[in-house]
Amino acid sequence: MELIDGTRLLANRCRRRSFLLGAGFLTGLTITSQWHPVLANSRFSGYPFSLGVASGDPLPDGVVIWTRLAPNPLSGDEMPLVNVPVRWQVALDENMRQVVRRGTVLATPELAHSVHVDVRGLDPDRWYWYQFQTGREASPIGRTRTAPAFYSYTRELNFAFVSCQDWQNGYYTAYRHLAEENLDLVVHLGDYIYEYGPQSGGPRQHNSPEIITLADYRDRYALYRTDESLQAAHAAFPWIVTWDDHEVDNNYANLIPEDNQTEEAFRKRRANAYQAYYEHMPLRESSLPKGPDALLYRRLTFGNLAEFNVLDTRQYRTNQPCDDGLKPRCTGAFDPNATMTGSEQEQWLRKGLDRSRSRWNVIAQQVMFGQYNFNSTPGSAGVFNMDQWDGYVAARNRLLSFLNQRKPSNPVVISGDIHSSWVHDLKLDFNNPNSTTVGTEFVGTSITSDFPTSFIAPVQAALPNNPHTKFFDGAYRGYVCCKLTPECWQSDYRVVSSIVDLNASVKTLASFVVQNGQPGAHLS
């Protein structure tokens, strides 16, 4: 390995007019906290692109492309403290012959040698292919797609949403099938990793105790990212990502942990977790964490057909009421000051919905929005999940009232977290079956995470007490494919036959449609 002075390298290269600097190159320099030497003629102890490639947050003129240099991702053998030049290129063809954009970015130790290139100057609504190179090594080729031009007529959009991929509970066969679907986009709604230590009984185990430090979180992401099916799904489509709780700590709320940690200790843990999340996701620099804080909620538009409002319901929420859990509501569940999103994000969401010119307005978020009374005995006190919107009744009512009064076009909530499949009509008053339906919610099951078999029958028994709930299934794992046209939204619940069989098959368990201008779902 040859180390040369970084200042001299940069000066020499800037003199070469033919050398194209990627936007990420300067980004990499500005976030570097100290000047490291630049590694030239890079030679690695293993394949540096072992974690694959990814793209995300498509715009009409651009997309973020991502990779991370990790020659030995699971051995604890970290990259040296040097900056490594990584070349990137974007092409019109899968053979990378018709290159339209190229540049170089520095992979720095401060970001675990990950790179995030915000490629611009692309044409709207078309497929592109991309690849990275460093030294003599080349990454796999990824495929991505730009969004249609703002408010242009868009005939169709196909996307899938996923969540909850506990490594220890099963194989990612669902991702292998998802990579073969006809999609433009994938939306991940959280629980990309799980923080727990090794647990027996599953087909594979975590490789460390419960994660706390930055090195811990980096290693956990590296473990998950080594999965070939997950890599294939990332390489096939651009992703829009947001987090839930397990990216940090189960059921945490703002700076309140589940575990017995001081606020100071948890603040550091959250900073570590947010840093590692950014390092492993195709996100723009606007989401780069500042200590324990990171801006993740954002809005992406696809022509005049769909607008995605991507929420963060963990970082800003108040503590779960009634001491969390599944139980009757206490007075805290109705507290008007309790919030799932924080006031600033709540106002941002309402303002965006109010101004939207899209046919379908998607609220992409984590925990189940619709009410569900888990008590199957008529006339008895209700039993609700305090970690879901059922524990934040006033905040939910504010949004439901807004949807009823301002009537943004076709609001649809997509959710994850609960490891099971649901469909809800969103009622202005969930306790009145004749109340106005103001929107629709599709809740997707997990990729692998467990839904206890013993819990399925009690949930089914409570369905008659929840007439706005149109569908529930807790037996299958998988993902939801959504086809949007100006006239109709169709959600196909795609499930795999097994999460412990690498050759498991996939099928459509159920399909539901929402007609334009008619909130509420109907079995297709």
Side-chain angles (χ1 to χ4, degrees):
M1 296 188 300
E2 179 188 353
L3 296 177
I4 62 177
D5 179 76
T7 305
R8 179 165 53 87
L9 174 72
L10 184 59
N12 289 341
R13 287 184 169 176
C14 285
R15 296 188 188 104
R16 294 172 53 193
R17 296 185 63 182
S18 61
F19 185 79
L20 299 178
L21 287 176
F25 188 94
L26 296 180
T27 297
L29 292 179
T30 59
I31 62 178
T32 301
S33 62
Q34 57 182 327
W35 184 253
H36 297 294
V38 174
L39 178 66
N41 300 324
S42 309
R43 296 178 183 177
F44 302 94
S45 57
Y47 182 54
F49 299 106
S50 61
L51 305 184
V53 299
S55 68
D57 280 10
L59 300 174
D61 69 337
V63 68
V64 177
I65 58 174
W66 170 95
T67 193
R68 177 190 166 197
L69 305 182
N72 299 287
L74 305 181
S75 68
D77 181 18
E78 297 183 359
M79 289 273 294
L81 295 177
V82 295
N83 297 330
V84 182
V86 178
R87 302 181 302 280
W88 59 268
Q89 55 185 4
V90 175
L92 299 175
D93 64 305
E94 60 185 335
N95 296 316
M96 304 300 296
R97 292 172 181 163
Q98 302 177 59
V99 175
V100 294
R101 290 290 181 274
R102 68 175 79 220
T104 296
V105 59
L106 283 183
T108 68
E110 286 75 16
L111 291 182
H113 292 95
S114 64
V115 296
H116 306 70
V117 183
D118 189 356
V119 183
R120 295 299 179 99
L122 303 178
D123 293 330
D125 199 20
R126 71 162 300 153
W127 289 104
Y128 288 93
W129 286 260
Y130 62 95
Q131 189 176 35
F132 299 91
Q133 295 179 328
T134 184
R136 299 178 181 178
E137 301 282 4
S139 76
I141 295 172
R143 185 181 70 157
T144 193
R145 186 176 180 87
T146 51
F150 287 119
Y151 309 120
S152 62
Y153 175 75
T154 304
R155 184 180 62 182
E156 185 173 307
L157 177 69
N158 292 280
F159 76 93
F161 66 91
V162 299
S163 64
C164 305
Q165 53 197 52
D166 187 349
W167 174 274
Q168 301 190 107
N169 206 52
Y171 298 118
Y172 294 164
T173 312
Y175 276 133
R176 178 169 60 82
H177 290 292
L178 182 144
E180 298 170 353
E181 300 277 6
N182 178 26
L183 302 173
D184 303 305
L185 179 72
V186 172
V187 181
H188 198 292
L189 298 174
D191 293 346
Y192 192 97
I193 62 165
Y194 279 70
E195 80 279 21
Y196 304 134
Q199 296 174 347
S200 60
R204 50 189 183 180
Q205 289 191 340
H206 285 154
N207 56 348
S208 68
E210 181 155 341
I211 52 180
I212 302 292
T213 69
L214 178 56
D216 291 342
Y217 282 101
R218 284 171 170 171
D219 289 347
R220 185 61 53 85
Y221 277 101
L223 175 66
Y224 279 53
R225 281 279 195 169
T226 58
D227 187 275
E228 293 182 358
S229 296
L230 178 58
Q231 288 191 17
H234 271 296
F237 318 106
W239 285 39
I240 297 173
V241 300
T242 187
W243 51 39
D244 193 16
D245 53 340
H246 288 288
E247 286 87 354
V248 182
D249 183 33
N250 179 53
N251 277 25
Y252 85 95
N254 200 316
L255 289 171
I256 302 168
E258 178 190 49
D259 306 321
N260 186 23
Q261 291 180 288
T262 66
E263 180 177 323
E264 181 180 358
F266 187 69
R267 186 183 295 270
K268 177 61 176 175
R269 183 182 185 182
R270 198 175 90 169
N272 294 335
Y274 284 9
Q275 173 81 10
Y277 183 85
Y278 177 82
E279 290 171 351
H280 290 85
M281 296 296 146
L283 291 165
R284 289 188 168 82
E285 187 185 2
S286 57
S287 294
L288 180 69
K290 297 178 181 178
D293 305 312
L295 179 61
L296 201 60
Y297 64 86
R298 60 206 189 279
R299 186 173 291 117
L300 294 111
T301 304
F302 293 79
N304 68 346
L305 187 58
E307 188 162 83
F308 288 77
N309 300 274
V310 184
L311 303 190
D312 174 356
T313 63
R314 287 292 166 188
Q315 185 174 183
Y316 313 103
R317 71 154 75 185
T318 52
N319 198 14
Q320 291 92 343
C322 321
D323 200 29
D324 209 348
L326 194 66
K327 59 186 62 173
R329 290 179 177 135
C330 63
T331 56
F334 302 95
D335 183 355
N337 295 316
T339 177
M340 184 74 78
T341 62
S343 60
E344 184 174 331
Q345 185 179 185
E346 183 177 329
Q347 293 171 22
W348 169 87
L349 174 60
R350 289 202 302 262
K351 184 178 294 186
L353 290 171
D354 210 30
R355 295 177 175 176
S356 172
R357 295 160 54 187
S358 296
R359 178 62 56 91
W360 300 97
N361 285 286
V362 188
I363 302 174
Q365 54 97 55
Q366 294 72 33
V367 297
M368 198 157 77
F369 186 82
Q371 176 174 287
Y372 197 80
N373 178 4
F374 288 87
N375 193 336
S376 60
T377 305
S380 300
V383 174
F384 302 95
N385 188 331
M386 295 299 117
D387 186 59
Q388 298 175 172
W389 286 83
D390 274 338
Y392 301 77
V393 176
R396 180 172 63 191
N397 285 344
R398 287 196 297 270
L399 182 53
L400 291 170
S401 296
F402 171 84
L403 297 179
N404 182 56
Q405 293 170 7
R406 301 300 298 172
K407 293 180 171 51
S409 178
N410 298 316
V412 178
V413 177
I414 58 174
S415 311
D417 175 69
I418 198 169
H419 310 170
S420 45
S421 301
W422 309 68
V423 178
H424 300 295
D425 288 352
L426 299 180
K427 293 287 189 178
L428 184 61
D429 180 1
F430 285 108
N431 296 318
N432 178 7
N434 297 318
S435 177
T436 303
T437 299
V438 298
T440 312
E441 181 180 23
F442 295 110
V443 183
T445 187
S446 61
I447 292 291
T448 55
S449 303
D450 186 49
F451 188 85
T453 303
S454 61
F455 207 48
I456 295 175
V459 173
Q460 291 173 331
L463 283 168
N465 284 350
N466 299 271
H468 58 277
T469 300
K470 304 301 182 183
F471 179 69
F472 162 75
D473 176 80
Y476 288 100
R477 315 278 78 80
Y479 51 92
V480 183
C481 286
C482 302
K483 178 181 178 179
L484 280 60
T485 68
E487 297 78 29
C488 180
W489 173 310
Q490 178 169 322
S491 288
D492 296 333
Y493 282 75
R494 301 279 283 164
V495 297
V496 291
S497 57
S498 171
I499 57 172
V500 295
D501 179 3
L502 289 170
N503 296 312
S505 59
V506 67
K507 68 177 181 180
T508 299
L509 182 65
S511 295
F512 286 83
V513 297
V514 181
Q515 299 295 334
N516 173 43
Q518 302 175 36
H522 302 277
L523 192 63
S524 174

